[in-house]
Amino acid sequence: MDAALAADADGMRALWISLAGLGATTVVQAAVVVLSGSVALLGDTLHNAADALTSVPLAIAFVLGRRPPNRRYTYGYGRAEDLAGVAIVLAIALSCVAAAYSAIHRLLHPQEVSHLAAVAAAALIGFVGNELVAAYRIRVGRRIGSAALVADGLHARADGFTSLAVLAGAGGVALGLPWADPVVGLLITVVIVMVLRQAAREVYRRLMDAVDPALVDRAEQVLRGIEGVLGVGEVRIRWIGHRLRMECEIVVRPDSTVVAAHRVAVEAEHALIHAVPRLSAALVHADPQTHHGVDHHAELAHHR
């Protein structure tokens, strides 16, 4: 429980720090957009604003995830983090549409871009701000097991590279190519689409209870090393927020007492919690070793 609370605190700290950093970056870029009229910088600013605002649903999810289970939500509220991931994907999609519209509108209705030096400086500020936030989000997200926070960090990193692309647009305009700014805006839109695909894949896998197969291998290895475990059956692992829950089957001696079988199951759960990162609990079911011709689950056969 102490580790879980520490993970929640680290996640919240990462969200507020990144929100402040990206918020400041967005304000600076927005001021330069008004001053210069750069559509490429506008696209980058919109993307940065959306990235900053994704901290809000994640923060709400972390707060909800602290609530204890009850008779209606028997597994707790950890799934709120997955819903926040869906909100992040929608925010990225909206920023993509806005950037594409602005770029196409500027291609059809050209407008002079001024204050190119300020545009270039704002682009560099956007890159530095996003990269710092990205590294921090990814590091904390991986440490606490939050796929949504890691995806948000990757999103910020992509934003940083699109900020560098704005430099190319400003350089093109400086060389007498007025179409360079909206074209770079379209290229940024393509990058946002790629980020959207990656983020959607991360959220989809979490919603579908996908886990790293190495976790299953590790769990089976640990179970086989427990004294009294004669075999390992099915192992199921799922994410609930940024914590793991496990259900697994072990085989014990057929003449074991209930107390002895329970002791082996408790030892197995204890070993799993220590061996599998971010595992909060494991339900271990003990099956007696089957003799030839004996099926201890015969009554359930027609349900499986």
Side-chain angles (χ1 to χ4, degrees):
M1 183 58 67
D2 289 342
L5 291 175
D8 289 340
D10 288 345
M12 290 294 291
R13 187 181 305 110
L15 289 175
W16 293 126
I17 291 175
S18 61
L19 175 60
L22 287 179
T25 301
T26 301
V27 169
V28 172
Q29 289 188 317
V32 177
V33 167
V34 174
L35 186 67
S36 65
S38 170
V39 71
L41 186 59
L42 174 61
D44 192 36
T45 304
L46 289 172
H47 200 189
N48 286 334
D51 193 16
L53 291 176
T54 54
S55 298
V56 176
L58 268 177
I60 295 173
F62 279 133
V63 172
L64 283 177
R66 295 174 179 175
R67 300 179 64 180
N70 53 46
R71 295 183 66 82
R72 181 177 296 276
Y73 297 97
T74 56
Y75 281 96
Y77 293 80
R79 286 291 188 182
E81 197 170 321
D82 300 331
L83 295 178
V86 174
I88 290 172
V89 171
L90 292 177
I92 299 173
L94 288 174
S95 66
C96 178
V97 172
Y101 174 81
S102 297
I104 294 173
H105 183 269
R106 185 59 58 86
L107 278 174
L108 297 177
H109 306 281
Q111 182 176 335
E112 182 180 357
V113 178
S114 60
H115 301 83
L116 296 180
V119 172
L124 285 175
I125 291 173
F127 170 73
V128 174
N130 275 285
E131 180 56 29
L132 291 175
V133 167
Y136 186 45
R137 282 181 175 177
I138 293 171
R139 183 174 68 253
V140 175
R142 286 175 177 168
R143 186 172 71 244
I144 69 174
S146 174
L149 190 55
V150 171
D152 218 16
L154 294 173
H155 178 200
R157 177 159 288 168
D159 287 350
F161 287 111
T162 58
S163 295
L164 290 181
V166 175
L167 282 174
V173 173
L175 294 174
L177 304 174
W179 48 265
D181 183 68
V183 167
V184 170
L186 288 176
L187 293 177
I188 290 176
T189 303
V190 174
V191 174
I192 300 175
V193 170
M194 295 171 62
V195 172
L196 174 63
R197 178 179 177 274
Q198 184 179 9
R201 182 177 59 189
E202 292 289 335
V203 173
Y204 167 79
R205 288 178 176 175
R206 187 56 63 92
L207 290 174
M208 292 297 292
D209 288 332
V211 297
D212 185 351
L215 291 176
V216 180
D217 295 338
R218 177 60 178 159
E220 291 176 342
Q221 180 183 5
V222 170
L223 290 173
R224 292 191 181 98
I226 302 299
E227 183 179 358
V229 174
L230 306 180
V232 178
E234 291 185 344
V235 175
R236 299 184 181 90
I237 308 175
R238 70 192 309 182
W239 286 100
I240 299 180
H242 49 272
R243 302 183 184 97
L244 289 169
R245 294 292 295 263
M246 183 185 301
E247 300 173 3
C248 56
E249 300 172 353
I250 59 174
V251 179
V252 299
R253 292 174 55 88
D255 57 352
S256 296
T257 64
V258 173
V259 173
H262 180 264
R263 176 183 55 79
V264 175
V266 170
E267 290 181 0
E269 181 179 6
H270 188 206
L272 287 169
I273 290 174
H274 281 286
V276 179
R278 295 175 292 278
L279 180 66
S280 60
L283 177 61
V284 183
H285 176 77
D287 284 326
Q289 188 178 36
T290 302
H291 294 293
H292 180 69
V294 178
D295 184 2
H296 296 289
H297 299 99
E299 293 185 9
L300 298 174
H302 64 286
H303 292 292
R304 296 183 173 178

